[in-house]
DNA sequence: CATTCACGTTTACGCGTGTAAACATTCAGC
DNA sequence: GCTGAATGTTTACACGCGTAAACGTGAATG
């Protein structure tokens, strides 16, 4: 499933808050992205054509809701990046961030806890 | 610096092996990607225009070399992804992979070692 | 010298995307 | 029933990208 940058913002919104009308989407994203209503309509339509959102009539308008799982999309996107940049491995990514001072104490703590927990689950 | 997918393959090659001629690039990537020589020339030119590669005349042809750091590019790309998908935090990403069974024993070991090492450097 | 070869430069073209206007339809209120 | 507001549908257009052919030019070679 190919979802563009602008489209993905619409999806992000729908994943958090669905069903939603086109106006809802515009209300939430229009000012942030400086989109006109027309732009939002186009994005919703393209997503519909791609099968990424489903619509359900509600009186004279539509209710939109995601038709694909956020998790699946996130996994696909992040896997691509990981493969492309880090040979598909996580440790080099973490290491990279650390090397560039992008790993805060907090991140480190979080990661340590997580790893421990995962270790315990054997 | 905006580097497209096809262009990034050229960059990856140049980062590993520079300086290189257009023929070198074609020899290395042409068959893999099913690119014609013309395509390689276009990509190199666009990268040149973007300032991502530098050229140096060598007799009648050019030698190409990266003009940006691979590390910087990787950091930029991965940061974008992390921001977009995981609120900029690493732990959720690792957790996500784990939840989807994409975290091997090996990954886990690597990560644990890495975290320990980083912890020590406090 | 004239031709060809190797290489860089220019031009091309279809497709996805960002962005949006124009058009169509339908419901609601006068 | 007609008019206007709301909403979906169609059309538009410029730009980046994947892909590549055409063109220009200088060097090599017969």
């Amino acid at each position: 499933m190919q979802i563009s940058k602008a489209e993905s913002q619409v999806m992000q919104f729908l994943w958090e808050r669905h069903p939603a009308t086109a106006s809802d989407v515009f209300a939430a994203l229009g000012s942030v992205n400086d989109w006109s209503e027309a732009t939002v309509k186009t994005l919703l339509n393209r997503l519909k054509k791609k099968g990424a959102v489903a619509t359900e009539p509600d009186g004279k308008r539509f209710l939109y809701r995601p038709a694909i799982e956020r998790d699946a999309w996130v996994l696909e996107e992040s896997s691509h990046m990981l493969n492309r940049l880090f040979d598909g491995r996580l440790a080099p990514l973490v290491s990279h961030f650390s090397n560039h001072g992008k790993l805060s104490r907090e991140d480190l703590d979080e990661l340590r806890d997580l790893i421990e927990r995962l270790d315990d689950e054997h």
Side-chain angles (χ1 to χ4, degrees), chain A:
Chain A
M1 179 71 52
Q2 197 55 328
I3 294 180
S4 81
K5 200 159 165 300
E7 286 164 0
S8 83
Q9 281 191 260
V10 174
M11 290 306 290
Q12 298 276 14
F13 173 74
L14 287 179
W15 274 316
E16 275 177 25
R17 189 158 157 312
H18 65 260
T21 66
S23 307
D24 292 339
V25 178
F26 174 64
L29 303 179
S31 52
V32 187
N33 295 88
D34 203 35
W35 285 340
S36 76
E37 278 178 87
T39 299
V40 171
K41 289 185 206 169
T42 301
L43 293 174
L44 281 170
N45 248 292
R46 288 183 182 163
L47 285 169
K48 190 172 164 186
K49 224 163 255 166
K50 292 183 188 186
V53 309
T55 58
E56 160 196 352
D58 168 54
K60 80 171 186 172
R61 62 209 171 146
F62 279 156
L63 295 182
Y64 295 86
R65 65 178 73 242
I68 62 178
E69 299 270 335
R70 183 184 140 93
D71 255 33
W73 174 72
V74 166
L75 190 63
E76 202 181 313
E77 293 283 303
S78 48
S79 299
H80 277 164
M81 184 280 305
L82 210 64
N83 284 330
R84 224 160 51 94
L85 302 183
F86 298 99
D87 199 26
R89 289 159 52 228
L90 280 168
L93 178 144
V94 176
S95 171
H96 187 81
F97 272 79
S98 154
N99 286 341
H100 288 274
K102 300 293 184 189
L103 198 66
S104 66
R105 173 91 255 155
E106 217 183 332
D107 289 330
L108 199 52
D109 288 344
E110 267 188 303
L111 278 174
R112 187 167 358 80
D113 291 353
L114 176 62
I115 303 285
E116 265 170 37
R117 206 146 19 81
L118 291 174
D119 262 345
D120 287 349
E121 300 172 9
H122 92 127

